[in-house]
Amino acid sequence: MATSPSANPTPITPPRVPMIDARTGLIDRAWYQFFLSLYRASEAAISDQDLGPPTQDLSGDFSNLYDQAQLASMSDQAAVLQPKIDALQQELQTLPRQELGTMAALQQANLPWVTFDTTPEHVPTSIGTVAWDGGTTLGIQMTANVLQPVGEAQYFYIKADSTITKGQLVMFTGAVGASGVIKCAPATGITDGQYLMGIAAEDIAANGFGLITSVGHVRGWNTTGTPVGETWVDGDILYYNPSIAGGLTKTQPTAPNVKATIAVVVNAAPAGSGDVFVRVSTGSVLGGTDSNVQFGTLAADDLIQYNGTIWENVPASTVIAGAGGAPVTKTADFTVAVGETWLINNKSGSSCTVTLPTASSYTGRVLHFQNYQAQTLVSASSNVVPLAGGSATTAILEAVAGANATLVSDGTNWIMTQYDSNNSLELE
């Protein structure tokens, strides 16, 4: 007996469902199921009327046509759908694979994040290992002896020109060439602090390779100062030691030695416990890095002069000859001040005493004196050599108005090079 069409009720699609799917541009699947159900119901009704079975089952064709139309539409919509597909694929890739357990995420090409165990146990010391360093950052095992705290230290990878010991100050000596590796050795005999690189983070054999710390801690070496004959304490500033190859000192060097600040003592302790924090400041040389200073060959007693564009070194004579300023009048005993060259004695009633600059500090300086009063002008010390030569005395000007004299420092005394008593007869 045939089944009544009412035995398979047709589902009615709610009106709120649009007939065309906005994502695919095809008929919505719910409506498709509705029409397919109608088709099958009509087929069943025809069968009930003994019209015989349909010569062909069109339901499969209808379904195939729907799928083909859907594929064609998807091809047309590929450009629109591809970004969404990529995003979904990436999301699926980051889902843990059950067979890998908690390490599944690490097998992905696009890793969203990683949380490290901040209290790890049994961290291997193999080169390339990354783990929390027990402080505030990750640690990377750079070499067998050096663990780099990420973001808290900086190193140079170098080839040793000679044996380098952990804790030694190291200087640049050259380059290996195409390999891109620089060469270094224990710092000694330098005249330019820019050659200083940092402190050795590990022992490096001659012609071997290793790391030099330019910023960061160097731990596990003797920081008591004993190896260089000093006693260091926590907080001491350490400088380049010009007396010991690769050495440091807590005493700032004096010129002409390089004055370079290298590190501070964090923990003054024997080998195994000592710790310094490195931050190299190479110091400077006058005219070495200043963009507005350019020196030529320097000579003793040179002076620095601004030529309108830069500062340069010039012979003292070229500066002194054009110097002097305005004349200065004195009405009492006086001391020659810096920058005074032309001096007038206008003290009345008694001799005037002048304190001259120390001759040894002003080699080549010129002073001019003149009387407005008929009073003598004398030096406070016996450091004036008369015009005719001889032993130094105190006399400068006689008690004659208009008398004048020129004195020049020879580094020991003031030499009188000119004198006019204002009562001499000059013939032409």
Side-chain angles (χ1 to χ4, degrees):
M1 179 177 179
T3 304
S4 172
S6 61
N8 294 293
T10 299
I12 304 299
T13 303
R16 66 175 180 274
V17 178
M19 181 171 291
I20 301 301
D21 189 332
R23 295 173 299 173
T24 65
L26 300 175
I27 185 171
D28 186 84
R29 182 168 290 274
W31 284 103
Y32 162 74
Q33 294 292 342
F34 170 72
F35 289 120
L36 181 60
S37 178
L38 287 180
Y39 170 79
R40 287 174 176 168
S42 64
E43 182 183 53
I46 294 173
S47 177
D48 286 347
Q49 295 176 13
D50 297 323
L51 295 178
T55 59
Q56 184 178 1
D57 184 359
L58 299 179
S59 62
D61 292 344
F62 187 86
S63 178
N64 289 338
L65 288 173
Y66 174 83
D67 291 339
Q68 291 173 10
Q70 187 178 37
L71 289 174
S73 178
M74 287 295 291
S75 177
D76 294 338
Q77 299 293 329
V80 176
L81 296 178
Q82 192 61 48
K84 297 181 180 179
I85 294 173
D86 292 342
L88 180 59
Q89 183 179 25
Q90 182 174 348
E91 183 177 352
L92 292 174
Q93 285 178 339
T94 60
L95 294 176
R97 291 164 54 189
Q98 185 175 3
E99 69 274 19
L100 295 177
T102 58
M103 293 298 292
L106 295 181
Q107 310 305 312
Q108 310 307 321
N110 299 291
L111 194 62
W113 49 261
V114 175
T115 298
F116 285 84
D117 184 354
T118 56
T119 57
E121 297 181 2
H122 311 299
V123 177
T125 57
S126 303
I127 296 174
T129 298
V130 180
W132 197 258
D133 74 346
T136 58
T137 186
L138 292 173
I140 303 176
Q141 196 69 47
M142 303 286 286
T143 69
N145 307 303
V146 179
L147 178 70
Q148 178 178 9
V150 176
E152 295 180 356
Q154 176 176 297
Y155 301 88
F156 295 116
Y157 183 67
I158 64 99
K159 180 179 181 180
D161 253 349
S162 58
T163 301
I164 297 173
T165 303
K166 182 177 182 177
Q168 280 191 313
L169 178 60
V170 172
M171 67 179 180
F172 170 78
T173 57
V176 179
S179 69
V181 179
I182 62 175
K183 297 192 293 184
C184 292
T188 184
I190 63 172
T191 57
D192 187 345
Q194 294 182 91
Y195 282 86
L196 294 172
M197 301 296 294
I199 294 179
E202 57 185 334
D203 293 337
I204 310 173
N207 295 316
F209 295 85
L211 296 175
I212 305 301
T213 305
S214 61
V215 176
H217 289 272
V218 178
R219 298 183 173 96
W221 62 292
N222 191 332
T223 58
T224 62
T226 302
V228 294
E230 299 178 353
T231 300
W232 298 347
V233 298
D234 297 354
D236 276 348
I237 301 296
L238 302 180
Y239 305 89
Y240 160 68
N241 190 330
S243 303
I244 300 175
L248 298 166
T249 177
K250 68 177 182 179
T251 303
Q252 187 180 58
T254 57
N257 295 304
V258 169
K259 300 179 182 180
T261 305
I262 306 301
V264 61
V265 177
V266 177
N267 182 30
S273 303
D275 179 16
V276 301
F277 186 86
V278 182
R279 190 189 65 177
V280 177
S281 176
T282 60
S284 63
V285 178
L286 185 62
T289 57
D290 305 299
S291 60
N292 62 344
V293 179
Q294 187 62 53
F295 290 156
T297 302
L298 295 173
D301 300 322
D302 271 3
L303 300 177
I304 302 174
Q305 178 174 273
Y306 188 67
N307 66 7
T309 304
I310 61 172
W311 293 90
E312 58 185 356
N313 62 302
V314 296
S317 59
T318 64
V319 176
I320 294 174
V328 181
T329 300
K330 305 293 185 179
T331 58
D333 296 343
F334 64 96
T335 297
V336 177
V338 175
E340 292 182 344
T341 301
W342 303 91
L343 299 119
I344 298 171
N345 171 30
N346 197 28
K347 179 183 177 182
S348 61
S350 62
S351 177
C352 182
T353 299
V354 55
T355 300
L356 299 174
T358 302
S360 60
S361 300
Y362 293 90
T363 301
R365 183 173 179 180
V366 179
L367 298 175
H368 302 277
F369 295 94
Q370 182 175 340
N371 265 346
Y372 273 7
Q373 299 284 337
Q375 303 291 339
T376 60
L377 177 66
V378 296
S379 172
S381 303
S382 296
N383 56 359
V384 178
V385 177
L387 188 63
S391 300
T393 67
T394 62
I396 300 176
L397 296 178
E398 298 176 312
V400 176
N404 57 88
T406 299
L407 306 182
V408 180
S409 170
D410 69 350
T412 302
N413 291 303
W414 291 91
I415 310 301
M416 188 174 293
T417 59
Q418 291 180 328
Y419 186 85
D420 183 358
S421 64
N422 200 34
N423 58 7
S424 59
L425 178 64
E426 296 180 357
L427 300 177
E428 295 184 2

